[in-house]
Amino acid sequence: MKPITVTQPHLPPLAQFLPYLEKIWDSKQLTNRGPMHQQLEAELCDYLGVEHISLFTNGTLALVTALQALRIGGEVITTPYSFVAGAHSLLWNGIEPVFVDIDPDTLNLDPRRIEAAITPRTTAIMPVHCYGTPCDVEAIQQVADDYDLKIIYDAAHAFGVRQHGRSILRAGDLSILSFHATKVFNTFEGGAIVSPDARTKQRIDHLRNFGYVNEVTVVAPGINGKMSEVNAAFGLLQLRHVDEAIARRAGIEAMYRDRLEGVRGLRLLEVPPDTSRNHSYFPILVGKDFGITRDALYEHLKSHGIHGRRYFYPLISEFPMYRHLPGARPHGLPVAHEVSRQVLCLPLHPALADADVEHICALVHQAALLPMKRAA
Ligand code: T4K
């Protein structure tokens, strides 16, 4: 039997993609803000409920460029509980990441702990809406306002997420998205920056294209972060299918919650209030009272062809290029350390059948009954 992986891209029928490719073959416009690129920026603004979007090659270059666009330097406060691209984008800009612990319920940067980490060198906060759960954007904004700091949200997981009827991508100074193959909405590789105004978008667009303003004028040491026309075309097609993909994801999450709620030693994340979610991940936290350890459960599922992932273990602050930093010391990050040793993301993608979900839940129930020493 084919293994069931943590995710799998939702691919529309290939025949639907061919007309887009024919158009590209006709126009010969392969990149550099072609018509489909422009159309995708416009359609995404509509779909997401934001004013300005700049498409990128991937989410990481979007992060690197967002930091450049706001001229961020010195130290930036961020979460250790995320994908390593966030902190790497700081290093690529010569910025020191300062890790701050996470909230035990949302697993997002804990706003109550930010203030204590601010120094005269702090210029910005870079929180992550982890698993698409919105950060406490009001509390974070309050700290940023009090200390005159910028906020760049890493919204790589938060495509389409709205809270209190408003796109979460409108919070802070900038938000970045990832359209990687493993994301709810993908363009194979891809990403974007959401800006609040046309001027900021223009600066970002210049930075994305080597700093070119016109044929003879270069205003900044920009990079090549442009999304190609083929990726943009695929995005246009994906957008037609994304609602049905999210609806199926919601159905799978509901099944998981129904089958796994109340299992001794397992914690499921709370559903955030007044939020329309994208159901991008389904993390479970394996506590001491569960029959076996998190790693034993991971192996148990794997031995049955179920490939969950320990997103996010190890913490970013544990990697060699970060662990020497003062903010990386484990005693300052107790919640993140505990959660990263408990978390397991179960498979969640639109192609999962109900029977797959039942099977996975049955294996989890079975594991809960395994004696600790056998499975360790
Ligand atoms: N910020 C955050 C918070 C992020 O999570 C990410 C990326 C970024 C920033 C950076 O954005 P990008 O620069 O990537 O746009 C994956 C992704 O590579 C990465 O994009 C993602 N976060 C991260 C959380 O997960 P891996 O190493 O786990 O991917 P991989 O290749 O092991 O894939 C996982 C499973 O998905 C595979 O078992 C099979 C399936 N899969 C994967 C790919 C790539 C497919 O079915 N098809 C595919 O094409 O990192």
Side-chain angles (χ1 to χ4, degrees):
M1 219 174 81
K2 250 182 98 179
I4 295 178
T5 50
V6 69
T7 189
Q8 183 178 292
H10 185 59
L11 292 177
L14 185 56
Q16 289 185 15
F17 193 38
L18 296 180
Y20 292 81
L21 293 178
E22 279 162 6
K23 275 196 190 160
I24 295 173
W25 257 243
D26 283 347
S27 75
K28 313 269 185 296
Q29 181 86 36
L30 307 187
T31 186
N32 289 8
R33 280 191 92 241
M36 299 213 199
H37 182 285
Q38 294 188 43
Q39 193 184 336
L40 183 59
E41 286 194 344
E43 289 198 17
L44 281 173
C45 282
D46 272 359
Y47 180 87
L48 297 171
V50 299
E51 301 288 323
H52 303 281
I53 272 206
S54 305
L55 296 175
F56 272 79
T57 323
N58 56 58
T60 306
L61 273 179
L63 277 167
V64 169
T65 309
L67 291 159
Q68 290 270 325
L70 299 183
R71 300 181 175 87
I72 304 297
E75 294 174 3
V76 168
I77 291 172
T78 190
T79 169
Y81 188 76
S82 183
F83 190 60
V84 74
H88 280 1
S89 71
L90 297 174
L91 291 196
W92 274 71
N93 278 291
I95 296 165
E96 183 174 325
V98 174
F99 298 109
V100 162
D101 210 0
I102 55 172
D103 177 280
D105 295 327
T106 62
L107 311 188
N108 288 329
L109 195 60
D110 188 339
R112 293 163 300 188
R113 294 173 184 273
I114 294 175
E115 198 167 359
I118 295 172
T119 75
R121 296 185 66 228
T122 311
T123 56
I125 308 170
M126 197 167 79
V128 179
H129 302 295
C130 193
Y131 310 129
T133 303
C135 290
D136 185 344
V137 293
E138 278 163 26
I140 294 173
Q141 191 64 58
Q142 188 62 58
V143 185
D145 290 345
D146 289 349
Y147 289 87
D148 196 18
L149 305 176
K150 300 283 189 201
I151 308 172
I152 297 176
Y153 277 102
D154 179 342
H157 302 175
F159 182 87
V161 173
R162 287 171 180 260
Q163 195 167 46
H164 313 309
R166 189 172 190 262
S167 170
I168 198 72
L169 304 171
R170 297 173 85 103
D173 294 282
L174 293 175
S175 289
I176 77 94
L177 288 162
S178 165
F179 304 149
H180 183 258
T182 52
K183 296 293 189 276
V184 166
F185 169 83
N186 87 82
T187 56
F188 287 28
E189 290 272 2
I193 302 180
V194 175
S195 327
D197 55 75
R199 215 163 151 242
T200 310
K201 173 176 163 52
Q202 192 182 55
R203 175 162 168 74
I204 288 166
D205 288 353
H206 291 157
L207 285 169
R208 177 182 65 180
N209 186 30
F210 314 97
Y212 269 103
V213 171
N214 59 40
E215 235 176 280
V216 291
T217 317
V218 173
V219 292
I223 200 156
N224 182 356
K226 293 169 275 117
M227 179 183 278
S228 87
E229 199 66 350
V230 174
N231 296 94
F234 187 70
L236 287 170
L237 177 58
Q238 276 277 99
L239 211 45
R240 318 238 174 299
H241 294 271
V242 73
D243 284 339
E244 85 202 24
I246 291 175
R248 175 63 192 144
R249 285 173 171 277
I252 293 168
E253 177 178 330
M255 275 186 80
Y256 272 136
R257 285 189 178 273
D258 181 66
R259 309 301 190 271
L260 298 179
E261 203 95 56
V263 172
R264 201 162 69 102
L266 276 195
R267 176 154 81 91
L268 312 184
L269 294 195
E270 279 169 33
V271 175
D274 197 17
T275 304
S276 68
R277 296 179 301 134
N278 63 15
H279 311 276
S280 44
Y281 295 87
F282 192 73
I284 58 173
L285 301 181
V286 183
K288 287 202 172 63
D289 293 341
F290 191 72
I292 57 175
T293 64
R294 183 276 309 270
D295 288 341
L297 176 61
Y298 167 79
E299 295 297 343
H300 173 68
L301 294 176
K302 209 166 161 185
S303 70
H304 288 83
I306 311 298
H307 295 238
R309 287 295 284 267
R310 288 163 288 190
Y311 296 136
F312 288 99
Y313 167 81
L315 295 175
I316 301 175
S317 49
E318 294 180 90
F319 291 126
M321 63 297 290
Y322 299 106
R323 61 180 171 228
H324 67 281
L325 295 172
R329 285 193 286 260
H331 72 260
L333 307 167
V335 181
H337 270 268
E338 190 179 2
V339 170
S340 80
R341 276 137 186 91
Q342 294 184 336
V343 73
L344 181 60
C345 288
L346 297 180
L348 175 52
H349 59 79
L352 276 186
D354 285 1
D356 296 328
V357 183
E358 295 290 7
H359 178 54
I360 295 166
C361 292
L363 288 169
V364 173
H365 279 273
Q366 185 192 67
L369 304 173
L370 291 176
M372 185 65 90
K373 62 177 175 354
R374 240 195 67 203

